[in-house]
């Protein structure tokens, strides 16, 4: 169902202040022998550098936008149990359209800290994008059991229920997601998809318009409104 893709692709906002990982690249053993010193400060400095480069425009910032993710990967190898660095590496790999690498980082985080809700949410999202609904549900059920008040997990759970045809369960998960901090515009979009699937065109149209009010110009919501067509005159 084409309507699914946009929602799954925007469901989880993982804080960039997380992350790290393990590497199989040449040179990893040498890096691993280096001493891990003050990893929190090192990660904070790297993320600040990346944020500043992106704010300035990566073209203007030269190679910083490419170099910093590699530095974070190196730091993850040097500090292989520092889960914030591992999660940061996962997020950056996901942003760079490297899902297999992101999954590797996330699996490492979850092996170290199984209750990490941000890692679980992104791992489930990757599973949904790969069409692996059973794996997504397994990750989500475990994650929600450990962190029921995590908005990102509840949001992805709503998507998983929607994709499996459990529309009432999807609605309830989305209500919880917004209660626990998920952005209204994303929740409205998810609710709109559910309403559309239930044949409630006018309600779906209203919800997609709410999504656009929160994120003007969002192509996914605009596409759903266009597919629904204009409201019928009474």
């Amino acid at each position: 169902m084409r309507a699914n893709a946009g929602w799954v692709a925007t469901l989880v906002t993982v804080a960039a202040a997380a992350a790290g990982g393990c590497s199989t690249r040449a040179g990893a053993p040498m890096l691993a022998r280096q001493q891990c010193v003050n990893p929190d400060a090192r990660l904070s400095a790297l993320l600040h550098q990346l944020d500043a480069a992106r704010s300035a425009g990566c073209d203007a910032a030269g190679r910083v936008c490419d170099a910093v993710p590699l530095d974070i990967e190196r730091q993850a190898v040097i500090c292989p149990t520092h889960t914030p660095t591992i999660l940061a590496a996962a997020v950056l790999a996901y942003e760079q359209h490297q899902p297999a690498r992101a999954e590797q980082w996330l699996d490492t985080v979850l092996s170290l800290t199984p209750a990490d809700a941000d890692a679980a949410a992104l791992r489930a999202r990757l599973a949904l994008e790969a069409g692996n609904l059973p794996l997504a549900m397994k990750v989500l059920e475990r994650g929600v059991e450990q962190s029921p008040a995590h908005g990102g997990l509840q949001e992805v759970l709503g998507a998983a229920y929607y994709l499996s045809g459990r529309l009432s369960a999807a609605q309830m998960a989305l209500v919880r997601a917004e209660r626990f901090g998920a952005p209204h515009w994303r929740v409205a979009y998810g609710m709109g998809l559910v309403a559309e699937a239930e044949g409630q065109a006018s309600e779906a149209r209203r919800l997609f318009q709410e999504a656009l009010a929160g994120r003007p110009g969002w192509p996914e919501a605009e596409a759903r409104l266009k597919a629904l067509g204009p409201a019928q005159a009474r």
Side-chain angles (χ1 to χ4, degrees):
M1 206 184 302
R2 284 295 299 168
N4 302 345
W7 189 21
V8 172
T10 56
L11 275 176
V12 185
T13 302
V14 181
C22 57
S23 176
T24 56
R25 294 184 178 182
M30 183 179 296
L31 285 172
R33 287 195 296 269
Q34 296 182 23
Q35 189 173 10
C36 179
V37 178
N38 204 351
D40 289 328
R42 177 61 176 156
L43 176 61
S44 178
L46 287 168
L47 290 174
H48 179 76
Q49 186 180 0
L50 181 59
D51 184 61
R54 287 177 170 177
S55 296
C58 284
D59 291 338
R63 301 179 62 183
V64 174
C65 291
D66 294 327
V68 171
L70 294 176
D71 287 341
I72 289 175
E73 285 195 355
R74 294 187 189 100
Q75 186 68 14
V77 176
I78 295 168
C79 303
T81 61
H82 189 246
T83 54
T85 302
I86 303 171
L87 184 53
V91 173
L92 291 170
Y94 180 80
E95 289 179 351
Q96 294 168 340
H97 307 290
Q98 299 175 1
R101 190 150 187 81
E103 289 169 4
Q104 176 190 3
W105 301 122
L106 292 167
D107 289 343
T108 300
V109 174
L110 292 171
S111 70
L112 293 167
T113 54
D116 192 308
D118 286 332
L122 185 53
R123 186 66 185 88
R125 173 178 173 174
L126 283 163
L128 287 181
E129 292 182 349
N132 193 340
L133 184 59
L135 175 59
M137 289 302 304
K138 179 180 178 181
V139 174
L140 287 165
E141 288 169 357
R142 183 169 58 242
V144 168
E145 181 180 359
Q146 295 171 328
S147 304
H150 189 274
L153 278 171
Q154 293 288 352
E155 235 184 315
V156 185
L157 182 62
Y161 283 145
Y162 167 72
L163 292 171
S164 63
R166 299 168 63 181
L167 300 182
S168 294
Q171 286 179 317
M172 290 188 289
L174 287 168
V175 169
R176 293 192 298 270
E178 187 163 17
R179 184 190 312 151
F180 299 136
H184 177 71
W185 61 269
R186 281 205 319 251
V187 171
Y189 180 76
M191 288 288 201
L193 289 178
V194 173
E196 185 179 5
E198 291 178 333
Q200 301 177 22
S202 61
E203 177 67 2
R205 190 177 291 106
R206 181 187 70 80
L207 287 162
F208 292 140
Q209 287 169 345
E210 281 191 18
L212 281 171
R215 188 179 179 182
W218 187 22
E220 285 81 358
E222 290 180 340
R224 297 319 309 153
L225 279 173
K226 183 177 180 180
L228 285 168
Q232 297 296 319
R234 294 185 178 181

